[in-house]
Amino acid sequence: MFPMGFFFDPTFILVIIGMIISMIASSYVNRTFERYDAVNSKHQVTGTDAARYILRNQNIDDVGVQQISGNLTDNYNSVNKTLSLSQATAQSTSVAAIGVAAHECGHAVQDAQGYFPLRLRTAIVPIANFGTNLSIPLLIVGILISGSSGQMIINIGLLAFSLAFIFQLVTLPVEFNASRRALQILSEGGILTNEEVPQARKVLTAAALTYVAAAVSVLLQLLRLFLLFGGGRRR
């Protein structure tokens, strides 16, 4: 039988705390983006134009820029060398949109320069996804099997879930570095004025907090699983 603690253990409060932190971070980034999305840049450059300018300025000619649906779904794919900008970013001339576009360009610059944390993150994505998907089934199987064999399977499941946290940790320097590069490029390239760069910084800082919140959330989930099943404790 499944232990009642697996579903109703008081440690579930850790998961709830993680969810609340993530919701607060998401709400904050949305409010910050909306605030500066209402501020049109002085030079009236769209997010798409800013991205293409930055790529040219950095001598990157093998990255395509495309528009995708959604809001704040912007991303850079280092596998197919594609920078995707959401509708809220691609055609907007706001300070927020330009900041977000520049951040994604920061990832393209990282890729072009062989930035190790980005390469590491790209390499561990499939491993982390596989480990996360496999962890819960392993925990369930371990619970059903008694004795040391069951605990060994549980430990493997905990280790597999730990890969998700490692991925989040690797993501942090990648995202913070991309924002730093973006702000430097925006400042030096004259895309934004000296008054607008700090506004873009606020948008990117808010966005970075979502990655911090995600890391904390995964850590709390991992801590809960270790409290429930780690150290040979079976309920």
Side-chain angles (χ1 to χ4, degrees):
M1 295 180 60
F2 292 105
M4 293 295 290
F6 183 76
F7 297 102
F8 304 109
D9 193 280
T11 59
F12 191 72
I13 189 66
L14 295 173
V15 177
I16 296 176
I17 292 173
M19 293 173 59
I20 293 174
I21 292 175
S22 295
M23 290 173 60
I24 292 174
S26 178
S27 175
Y28 179 61
V29 70
N30 285 328
R31 285 187 286 109
T32 303
F33 182 87
E34 290 174 0
R35 177 182 178 184
Y36 293 106
D37 193 41
V39 179
N40 285 322
S41 62
K42 180 179 179 179
H43 300 306
Q44 294 290 292
V45 177
T46 66
T48 299
D49 290 337
R52 287 173 176 161
Y53 169 82
I54 292 172
L55 293 176
R56 288 196 304 270
N57 180 264
Q58 297 296 309
N59 298 315
I60 300 175
D61 56 11
D62 61 344
V63 172
V65 180
Q66 67 176 9
Q67 179 176 320
I68 58 175
S69 60
N71 182 37
L72 295 180
T73 52
D74 313 86
N75 66 87
Y76 170 70
N77 189 321
S78 60
V79 176
N80 59 20
K81 306 292 184 181
T82 302
L83 194 154
S84 301
L85 300 178
S86 64
Q87 293 175 330
T89 300
Q91 301 304 320
S92 174
T93 60
S94 72
V95 170
I98 293 173
V100 171
H103 172 85
E104 299 307 329
C105 286
H107 288 311
V109 176
Q110 289 174 337
D111 189 22
Q113 297 181 357
Y115 183 61
F116 177 72
L118 176 65
R119 291 190 173 184
L120 178 60
R121 185 178 72 169
T122 302
I124 67 175
V125 164
I127 301 174
N129 288 339
F130 178 75
T132 303
N133 294 332
L134 189 64
S135 59
I136 299 304
L138 285 174
L139 290 174
I140 294 175
V141 171
I143 291 169
L144 295 174
I145 299 176
S146 61
S148 59
S149 296
Q151 187 60 50
M152 181 181 68
I153 295 175
I154 286 176
N155 291 340
I156 295 174
L158 293 173
L159 180 61
F161 192 86
S162 299
L163 295 174
F165 179 60
I166 293 174
F167 171 78
Q168 294 294 338
L169 285 182
V170 174
T171 293
L172 293 179
V174 173
E175 297 300 330
F176 279 106
N177 179 266
S179 291
R180 181 186 64 77
R181 292 172 187 265
L183 292 169
Q184 181 177 353
I185 293 171
L186 289 175
S187 178
E188 296 176 352
I191 300 175
L192 295 180
T193 66
N194 292 334
E195 293 75 23
E196 292 168 342
V197 170
Q199 297 173 337
R201 178 180 290 108
K202 291 180 180 179
V203 174
L204 297 184
T205 299
L209 291 178
T210 62
Y211 294 99
V212 175
V216 172
S217 178
V218 173
L219 176 61
L220 291 174
Q221 294 180 56
L222 180 62
L223 176 60
R224 176 180 183 252
L225 293 177
F226 268 100
L227 289 174
L228 288 174
F229 307 115
R233 296 175 60 187
R234 303 293 298 275
R235 301 191 176 197

